[in-house]
Amino acid sequence: MKKSYIIKGMTCNGCVASVEKALLGVAGVTRVEVYLEKGEVDIFMTEAVSLSLLNDALPNKFTIAEKMDFSASAVNETQSISKLRQLKPLLLIFLYLFSAAILLHFKQWNTQQAMLDFMGMFYIVFSFFKFLDLKGFPASFRMYDPLAKVVPAYGWLYPFIELGLGLMFLLRFQIVAALVMTVLVLGITTIGVLKTLLDKKNIQCACLGTALKLPMTEATLIENAIMLLMAVAMLVARFA
């Protein structure tokens, strides 16, 4: 008999291998087919195996639940609520960064200076979350970033690049170079994000590392677009 399940916590092919190995160790399970992009697993078994046994067999980072059949409208509504809940940390971070940039220049307002501070804090905060799991980040990032797929070392360097750019913006050091690097780095990532969304792949966004489980959604595209627009606007202003 075959049963389909939803599985959460997978970010890379290593996770797929771990899930397969763990589930194959459960008595009665004969074959396991894991689908990383869909976050699903098909389990073939000789007899019914309880969900609790399957969960107990998996490492703590993974959870498994029965796949339910819903109407299309119900599925869309559930997914929207789930995505919004998952994106809450990202939205809160953006709110705090925008508020901080505004408050820093509230008395003597300067749009460009506020934008530089926002970009600097953006990079510092986002690199912090990547450093929380520096070992796991590259594999997750490589799933959608075009350059990281071709050059794996780039995934390892990316958190350090973000940290460096953040310091450059906050210290007002080589601003033009930092802006150009922002356009290049985020431009490449944005291409990967856009392709992922167009292909309707269900993968985790690595923008906040792997510590927070964020889905790849339009919010990720908007986040990159905001930074790119700021960088391009300031470059145009400096050379106009």
Side-chain angles (χ1 to χ4, degrees):
M1 61 182 296
K2 168 190 167 184
K3 291 194 70 174
S4 298
Y5 298 86
I6 300 294
I7 187 160
K8 296 183 179 179
M10 297 190 303
T11 58
C12 62
N13 288 326
C15 294
V16 171
S18 296
V19 168
E20 287 180 349
K21 182 178 178 181
L23 293 176
L24 283 172
V26 177
V29 174
T30 58
R31 193 164 99 237
V32 176
E33 294 180 359
V34 183
Y35 307 98
L36 176 62
E37 294 178 357
K38 295 194 295 182
E40 296 179 4
V41 57
D42 290 336
I43 302 178
F44 297 80
M45 53 191 82
T46 55
E47 57 186 22
V49 178
S50 70
L51 188 61
S52 60
L53 280 177
L54 296 176
N55 264 312
D56 289 342
L58 290 170
N60 292 334
K61 69 177 291 187
F62 306 113
T63 56
I64 191 169
E66 290 187 9
K67 185 178 179 182
M68 306 296 290
D69 291 325
F70 296 104
S71 65
S73 59
V75 169
N76 291 334
E77 184 179 354
T78 301
Q79 288 179 340
S80 297
I81 295 172
S82 177
K83 283 184 179 180
L84 186 60
R85 186 179 295 114
Q86 289 177 300
L87 288 171
K88 185 178 178 180
L90 180 63
L91 298 175
L92 282 174
I93 288 172
F94 258 82
L95 177 61
Y96 270 77
L97 292 179
F98 273 120
S99 299
I102 291 171
L103 290 173
L104 283 171
H105 300 276
F106 181 74
K107 291 185 177 180
Q108 294 181 327
W109 181 254
N110 185 304
T111 301
Q112 285 215 1
Q113 293 301 311
M115 289 166 67
L116 289 173
D117 282 332
F118 172 84
M119 295 176 76
M121 291 186 291
F122 173 96
Y123 278 128
I124 295 292
V125 171
F126 278 63
S127 66
F128 164 79
F129 283 100
K130 294 176 178 67
F131 279 116
L132 289 177
D133 184 17
L134 190 57
K135 185 178 180 180
F137 168 75
S140 183
F141 187 55
R142 194 161 54 241
M143 291 180 69
Y144 62 89
D145 185 89
L147 184 55
K149 288 180 181 179
V150 179
V151 186
Y154 178 65
W156 291 95
L157 289 173
Y158 193 81
F160 296 94
I161 293 173
E162 281 196 330
L163 178 61
L165 287 172
L167 293 173
M168 289 173 74
F169 282 123
L170 293 177
L171 296 173
R172 304 298 191 263
F173 176 74
Q174 295 293 329
I175 296 300
V176 173
L179 291 171
V180 171
M181 286 182 65
T182 293
V183 173
L184 292 174
V185 170
L186 289 185
I188 293 171
T189 302
T190 301
I191 291 173
V193 171
L194 183 59
K195 186 177 185 304
T196 299
L197 293 175
L198 291 175
D199 291 343
K200 297 183 179 180
K201 293 181 179 179
N202 183 22
I203 64 173
Q204 179 179 328
C205 175
C207 53
L208 289 179
T210 58
L212 296 177
K213 309 300 181 184
L214 298 178
M216 179 69 72
T217 67
E218 291 77 5
T220 310
L221 187 64
I222 294 171
E223 159 207 325
N224 286 355
I226 290 173
M227 289 288 286
L228 282 171
L229 287 173
M230 285 185 176
V232 171
M234 282 190 280
L235 281 173
V236 170
R238 285 173 179 266
F239 291 102

